[in-house]
Amino acid sequence: MYLANSRAADQATRRVGGTPRWHRVPGNVLALGVVSLVTDISAEMVTAILPLYLVLGLGLNPLQFGLLDGLYAGSTALLRLVGGHAADRWQRLKAVAGIGYGLSAICKLGLLAAGSSVAAIGAVLAVDRAGKGIRTAPRDALISLSSEPETLGRSFGVHRALDTFGAFLGPLVAVGVLWASLGDYGAVFVASFCLAGCGVLLLVLLVKDHRQRGDRPTVVPLRTMVGLLRIQSFRRCCGWAAALGLVTITDSFVYLALQRRWEIESTWFPLLALGTTGIFLLLAVPLGRLADRVGRWRVFLAGHAALVLALLLICGPATSNWIAVVALALHGCFYAATDGVLPATAGPLLPEQLRASGLALLQTGQALARMVSAVLVGLVWTVWDLRPALIATTVALLLVTVAAAATKPWEVKR
């Protein structure tokens, strides 16, 4: 048995150019990571200033902000299905992802044109998130199909690390642009558009498409996408992801809660996200590798446990500045353990030719659940104030995480 295992290990680690095969990150994954890095600098420049602009600049109350934040999170939902289905139907993963990237780039100029109109800003944000929805499933399918099954956690971890590095730089670039333009938000939107355009160009030049083997691609009818829910393991994965999304507080509310609790000056507000993204950047690859070794679903649930601890610190009695720092670090742990690990968990449960469609179903359920969550948190905050909203969210998240942990894992055997 030992000799047989040794031979299997030797075959699995065949060296190509002096590097073990399982140690190498596919070039397509790195290319997609670079595209995401540039695109996320653009996106996070806007995201970093938007909550403060809407709440303090335009005077929105928590319920109004919750509605906009929910729209921002949930407007991707149905178009994730469209993007995933179109990519699988025509076997054009790269082209469909490119449409999504291009749509989001154009919306950066739309924010400039929207001015101070809340309705116009909401419409532009919806279209921007629609672009994200269209591109996410084809992009994740490309990552999954470009990687070895046993190293999916590593591949998604590397991609999310590059993506998060862009998210880390975004607020810094936004602060720099605001400083150089003497506080002109329009300058941030223009700079964001230019970077988003560069991301689209990099996608065209660097990323290779993945085509189904054979002379002609298989035409995938829409009912086949819905039929994926008949796969018990995948259906359970979707159900728990949606349930956890329903009790997960959105980033904007976390940062607004920190700002209010610790009375952080508005000048420094855009930098709050750096605490989250910095930890995400450091831990994305290590936790992806850990997920490949000990089980992706276990790491995914551990990430939600980290978010529970972060919320307990934010709504707890202690007011030391170090508490805020630890809470942000735990928030980053949550993303590092969940954002790339979930598609790495679900990918092997799906057939290759339906990978984008299946991931779109998974992400749609999660996006819709988080949209509802944002509205509910905003409602509770408006009626009963911040602390009750955080406590209610924390208790619900803890209960659902424990329930999900009590179920039998559906990890794919390698």
Side-chain angles (χ1 to χ4, degrees):
M1 182 178 294
Y2 174 80
L3 291 175
N5 289 339
S6 297
R7 292 191 191 99
D10 289 341
Q11 291 175 358
T13 58
R14 285 176 298 182
R15 295 182 175 273
V16 181
T19 303
R21 186 178 178 184
W22 56 273
H23 278 173
R24 304 182 70 204
V25 177
N28 224 29
V29 174
L30 293 176
L32 286 163
V34 171
V35 172
S36 292
L37 186 155
V38 175
T39 302
D40 246 41
I41 295 175
S42 166
E44 293 303 318
M45 286 176 66
V46 175
T47 301
I49 65 173
L50 203 58
L52 198 67
Y53 176 63
L54 293 175
V55 174
L56 298 185
L58 301 184
L60 271 64
N61 62 42
L63 177 57
Q64 291 173 315
F65 179 75
L67 290 171
L68 268 182
D69 197 39
L71 178 67
Y72 191 67
S75 57
T76 65
L78 295 180
L79 284 174
R80 287 177 188 262
L81 296 177
V82 173
H85 176 66
D88 281 340
R89 183 178 179 86
W90 292 297
Q91 290 293 301
R92 295 291 188 275
L93 298 175
K94 175 180 173 179
V96 174
I99 292 172
Y101 279 110
L103 192 60
S104 293
I106 294 171
C107 285
K108 303 304 186 292
L109 293 182
L111 285 171
L112 183 64
S116 59
S117 170
V118 175
I121 290 174
V124 173
L125 289 178
V127 177
D128 176 62
R129 293 298 87 183
K132 179 177 176 61
I134 289 172
R135 72 178 183 251
T136 299
R139 181 203 65 198
D140 284 353
L142 277 172
I143 296 171
S144 180
L145 294 169
S146 300
S147 307
E148 298 293 333
E150 64 272 13
T151 60
L152 277 174
R154 182 201 305 273
S155 290
F156 275 99
V158 169
H159 174 269
R160 295 312 196 256
L162 290 169
D163 181 274
T164 306
F165 186 50
F168 185 85
L169 294 176
L172 296 176
V173 176
V175 170
V177 172
L178 283 174
W179 175 80
S181 63
L182 302 179
D184 182 7
Y185 287 101
V188 175
F189 298 145
V190 172
S192 176
F193 165 74
C194 293
L195 284 168
C198 290
V200 176
L201 182 61
L202 288 172
L203 177 77
V204 173
L205 296 177
L206 300 181
V207 175
K208 295 180 180 179
D209 208 350
H210 184 281
R211 302 290 180 85
Q212 184 180 344
R213 293 182 179 90
D215 296 332
R216 298 180 62 185
T218 300
V219 176
V220 181
L222 184 61
R223 64 179 179 274
T224 305
M225 173 191 286
V226 180
L228 289 172
L229 294 175
R230 295 174 185 167
I231 304 173
Q232 183 182 21
S233 56
F234 179 65
R235 182 174 67 248
R236 291 174 62 194
C237 185
C238 289
W240 281 116
L244 287 164
L246 188 62
V247 291
T248 299
I249 192 169
T250 61
D251 297 356
S252 296
F253 276 118
V254 170
Y255 301 143
L256 287 172
L258 285 165
Q259 191 272 336
R260 177 173 171 178
R261 181 78 191 282
W262 276 271
E263 298 180 350
I264 298 170
E265 294 183 11
S266 59
T267 307
W268 303 109
F269 182 85
L271 300 182
L272 281 177
L274 296 185
T276 296
T277 55
I279 298 299
F280 189 175
L281 176 62
L282 291 174
L283 296 182
V285 176
L287 288 183
R289 295 177 60 185
L290 180 65
D292 287 334
R293 293 176 58 189
V294 305
R296 293 161 191 156
W297 187 244
R298 293 186 181 92
V299 173
F300 180 71
L301 292 181
H304 286 84
L307 181 59
V308 169
L309 292 176
L311 294 177
L312 286 173
L313 291 176
I314 294 173
C315 63
T319 57
S320 168
N321 290 338
W322 283 107
I323 298 296
V325 172
V326 173
L328 283 173
L330 288 169
H331 193 228
C333 290
F334 160 68
Y335 275 109
T338 59
D339 191 63
V341 173
L342 181 59
T345 301
L349 305 176
L350 299 162
E352 272 195 22
Q353 69 272 20
L354 295 173
R355 193 69 54 89
S357 298
L359 291 177
L361 277 173
L362 175 71
Q363 294 158 355
T364 295
Q366 194 177 46
L368 288 174
R370 288 186 175 178
M371 178 180 68
V372 174
S373 173
V375 175
L376 290 177
V377 171
L379 178 62
V380 175
W381 190 337
T382 301
V383 176
W384 287 295
D385 203 20
L386 168 63
R387 189 179 177 85
L390 291 178
I391 292 175
T393 302
T394 305
V395 171
L397 178 59
L398 177 61
L399 291 175
V400 177
T401 302
V402 171
T407 62
K408 184 178 180 181
W410 51 80
E411 298 283 359
V412 176
K413 293 181 180 179
R414 295 186 285 274

